[in-house]
Amino acid sequence: MMVTSNFHTHTTYCDGKSTAEETVLAAIEKGMTALGFSGHAYTPFDASYCMSLEDTAKYRAEINRLKQKYAGQIDIYCGLEMDYFSEADTNGFDFLIGSVHYVKKNGAFLSVDGCAFQENVHCGYHGDYYAFAEDYFALVSRVAEKTKADIIGHFDLITKFNEGEKLFSESNPRYEKAWDAALRALIPSGKPFEINTGAMQRGYRSSPYPAVPILKKIQEYGGKIIISSDCHQADAVDFAFDTAIEFAKKSGFQSAYTLAGAPKAPLSLSEFSLARL
């Protein structure tokens, strides 16, 4: 038995490397039963990674075409990954992931996961990673409400470049207080936090988001989890799901969730046991 769904999937319509149909075919070959596409929603101040409004319409039409073409082989859903500052129209999409990719400081949008991260911390925060983290998690605490998300994306994305804690200590009290406050704000929403293996696949991290101490707190506070690969290329649609399951179990989770629903019906959370995985 294995996890047979992924709801965090990017394509060539945004910053992915594979077409939507290539990803569908890879998912079918791997025995997956459900695939949710989550193209990066339009953000007007940074077009480098997201879909334009014109491409969003093309993306939606293509995913709907694939839904029909592969009906009976795999369930396909059309969603968006909404950044906190995204301004896309979300009407008619099947699901939404809420994520924070930027903080706004002195009128400038500073990337959390881009190559300029360290420069942004030094220029915007005088090198104080904990001040940056406090502002980041303050946004994360409101991301479900702001984006109307069904899934909370890569909760501690701020650690993308912090493998081995080379930039800051993740056990620093300021850092722990910041993420704990965000968790406490988000848990009542009932939205699942993804265990996200994307940074592992792209060589930035050796473990998924979120870190185990955070996962343990999510479990302690009664939160839910969903396993996703943050896929940017077809062959990574189920990347390191075995590791994600291991981390979930290590953190005390006995079950995880996926999204499910009949065609044209609202998606809802569906629970499954981790005991046999």
Side-chain angles (χ1 to χ4, degrees):
M1 193 172 179
M2 62 179 183
V3 177
T4 59
S5 62
N6 179 60
F7 279 83
H8 196 152
T9 311
H10 299 288
T11 71
T12 50
Y13 282 104
C14 53
D15 61 348
K17 307 301 182 185
S18 303
T19 66
E21 189 155 16
E22 287 170 341
T23 307
V24 169
L25 292 172
I28 292 171
E29 184 178 355
K30 290 171 178 288
M32 301 187 77
T33 60
L35 181 62
F37 287 96
S38 55
H40 283 294
Y42 177 64
T43 49
F45 55 85
D46 184 0
S48 65
Y49 79 107
C50 65
M51 298 185 292
S52 66
L53 295 179
E54 180 182 3
D55 281 346
T56 301
K58 293 177 181 177
Y59 158 79
R60 186 171 172 182
E62 173 67 359
I63 304 308
N64 287 333
R65 181 185 74 83
L66 296 173
K67 284 186 185 184
Q68 301 302 316
K69 181 174 180 178
Y70 293 99
Q73 297 183 64
I74 188 170
D75 294 329
I76 297 173
Y77 301 97
C78 186
L80 290 173
E81 182 175 7
M82 294 290 293
D83 181 75
Y84 185 91
F85 297 104
S86 296
E87 296 183 1
D89 181 358
T90 61
N91 288 325
F93 286 92
D94 296 323
F95 71 98
L96 303 172
I97 298 174
S99 301
V100 175
H101 299 94
Y102 311 88
V103 298
K104 190 174 183 180
K105 184 72 170 179
N106 299 325
F109 291 96
L110 307 179
S111 175
V112 174
D113 67 334
C115 59
F117 172 62
Q118 293 180 58
E119 179 182 348
N120 288 338
V121 175
H122 284 282
C123 292
Y125 290 83
H126 305 291
D128 188 343
Y129 284 91
Y130 304 110
F132 191 105
E134 287 161 352
D135 283 356
Y136 167 76
F137 282 115
L139 295 177
V140 173
S141 73
R142 302 190 296 270
V143 74
E145 178 183 7
K146 175 67 162 54
T147 66
K148 310 303 180 188
D150 300 287
I151 297 168
I152 297 164
H154 38 57
F155 177 82
D156 56 345
L157 179 64
I158 192 172
T159 62
K160 178 175 178 178
F161 301 108
N162 199 43
E163 181 76 7
E165 298 192 341
K166 63 185 178 183
L167 299 179
F168 62 91
S169 170
E170 294 175 31
S171 59
N172 181 282
R174 287 177 66 191
Y175 180 75
E176 291 182 336
K177 183 179 179 180
W179 63 250
D180 187 71
L183 282 188
R184 290 176 183 272
L186 288 168
I187 291 290
S189 74
K191 306 304 181 184
F193 295 77
E194 63 174 6
I195 300 183
N196 179 315
T197 62
M200 295 174 65
Q201 192 276 325
R202 291 184 285 284
Y204 294 106
R205 291 174 57 94
S206 59
S207 58
Y209 306 113
V212 166
I214 297 174
L215 279 174
K216 287 183 175 179
K217 281 295 183 182
I218 295 172
Q219 194 278 332
E220 178 184 330
Y221 294 158
K224 302 177 179 70
I225 55 169
I226 185 170
I227 293 171
S228 71
S229 68
D230 199 347
C231 172
H232 282 67
Q233 59 189 61
D235 62 357
V237 71
D238 61 349
F239 185 84
F241 275 9
D242 54 345
T243 301
I245 293 166
E246 175 190 343
F247 272 62
K249 291 179 176 179
K250 183 188 301 184
S251 302
F253 287 96
Q254 297 181 358
S255 62
Y257 288 78
T258 187
L259 297 179
K264 298 184 179 180
L267 292 180
S268 60
L269 289 174
S270 177
E271 186 176 12
F272 62 92
S273 173
L274 295 174
R276 296 173 59 191
L277 298 183

